[in-house]
Amino acid sequence: MDIRPNHTIYINNINDKIKKEELKRSLYALFSQFGQIVDIVAMKTMPMRGQAFVVFKELTAATNALRQLQGFPFYNKPMRIQYAKTDSEVIAKVKGTYGDKEKKKEKKKKAQESAAAANLAKKPAVVSDYPTMMHVPDNPPNYILFLSNLPEETNEMMLSMLFNQFPGFKEVRLVPGKHDIAFVEFESDTQAGVAKDALQGFRITATCAMKITYAKK
């Protein structure tokens, strides 16, 4: 149990029915609120199912994620999180791809992913990025938010994970047949406003900056 703090966290007790790509996207959406993610490793092989590794750029981000998401109900199963063992072959390999020797080989392949990771990690906190979003016509404040410009792969789980970090969160409602919009309900106008400001322009994928307005009453 006494494993030294590490940039990489190891997660198990994950629902093993989730497809690898969806799992990685959902982990990204959930863990990127704590800091820049360098990589996520999830494998399909039987011994590794239900497990994943999330590699953070900063040690403090890994520590905060471990503390705050311990036992988080992820796809209806509580996550078990610990620091990865430093001698883990998988992690050594992942970290190696970001070492100086390997950087040239991986540069083209990883450049876009890293840029997307940086955007995901920075977007909610960088207030200076928001004015471009502010010209979106808005309605009077109320407790339901209207989300638009969502990527095609967005699902209820991803949005719930993003918004339930804010007090007063009640539910996410998707619109059948329309993948790019959704509604999020809070207990009060004020609580909805906090989430709206914090996640305005958040990028679930590199190309789609989420637009948030108050829903029409």
Side-chain angles (χ1 to χ4, degrees):
M1 290 296 290
D2 193 21
I3 300 170
R4 288 175 60 190
N6 194 320
H7 285 249
T8 302
I9 56 174
Y10 165 68
I11 307 154
N12 66 0
N13 199 41
I14 298 171
N15 189 326
D16 60 12
K17 302 285 191 292
I18 309 306
K19 289 181 180 175
K20 179 182 166 184
E21 290 309 311
E22 183 186 343
L23 173 63
K24 289 176 81 168
R25 280 197 298 265
S26 295
L27 287 170
Y28 225 124
L30 180 59
F31 282 90
S32 62
Q33 60 183 291
F34 296 99
Q36 185 174 335
I37 292 172
V38 174
D39 207 351
I40 291 177
V41 179
M43 295 183 190
K44 286 182 179 175
T45 55
M46 271 311 291
M48 292 298 291
R49 277 191 184 168
Q51 303 169 67
F53 295 90
V54 179
V55 187
F56 283 96
K57 188 175 181 184
E58 304 292 338
L59 181 61
T60 52
T63 301
N64 287 339
L66 184 149
R67 287 176 183 162
Q68 294 191 46
L69 292 177
Q70 190 68 261
F72 182 88
F74 187 66
Y75 289 105
N76 301 317
K77 290 185 76 173
M79 287 195 289
R80 289 202 290 266
I81 309 175
Q82 62 187 55
Y83 293 112
K85 294 174 183 172
T86 48
D87 58 357
S88 164
E89 203 174 303
V90 175
I91 299 312
K93 210 170 180 182
V94 172
K95 285 192 169 179
T97 61
Y98 289 87
D100 291 334
K101 288 180 184 176
E102 297 290 325
K103 260 186 184 170
K104 288 176 185 175
K105 289 181 193 175
E106 294 289 327
K107 200 168 186 182
K108 287 181 184 176
K109 186 179 169 187
K110 294 292 180 184
Q112 290 176 323
E113 292 174 21
S114 296
N119 283 339
L120 264 173
K122 284 191 285 186
K123 205 71 184 176
V126 181
V127 178
S128 60
D129 282 346
Y130 296 150
T132 56
M133 310 298 293
M134 290 301 126
H135 67 272
V136 178
D138 209 346
N139 296 300
N142 69 83
Y143 59 89
I144 297 176
L145 299 176
F146 174 67
L147 316 183
S148 59
N149 200 38
L150 299 174
E152 195 167 344
E153 58 267 43
T154 305
N155 59 36
E156 192 174 331
M157 170 65 78
M158 283 185 196
L159 293 175
S160 294
M161 289 186 303
L162 274 178
F163 283 90
N164 73 4
Q165 60 185 297
F166 297 97
F169 169 79
K170 287 182 78 174
E171 66 172 351
V172 166
R173 293 197 293 275
L174 300 182
V175 179
K178 300 220 171 198
H179 69 78
D180 59 337
I181 60 173
F183 294 91
V184 182
E185 184 175 338
F186 281 83
E187 289 175 4
S188 73
D189 301 9
T190 307
Q191 290 167 328
V194 170
K196 175 178 175 286
D197 292 343
L199 290 174
Q200 186 69 266
F202 185 90
R203 291 177 186 270
I204 293 176
T205 64
T207 53
C208 293
M210 180 164 62
K211 294 180 183 177
I212 310 176
T213 59
Y214 291 110
K216 288 180 184 173
K217 280 196 170 178

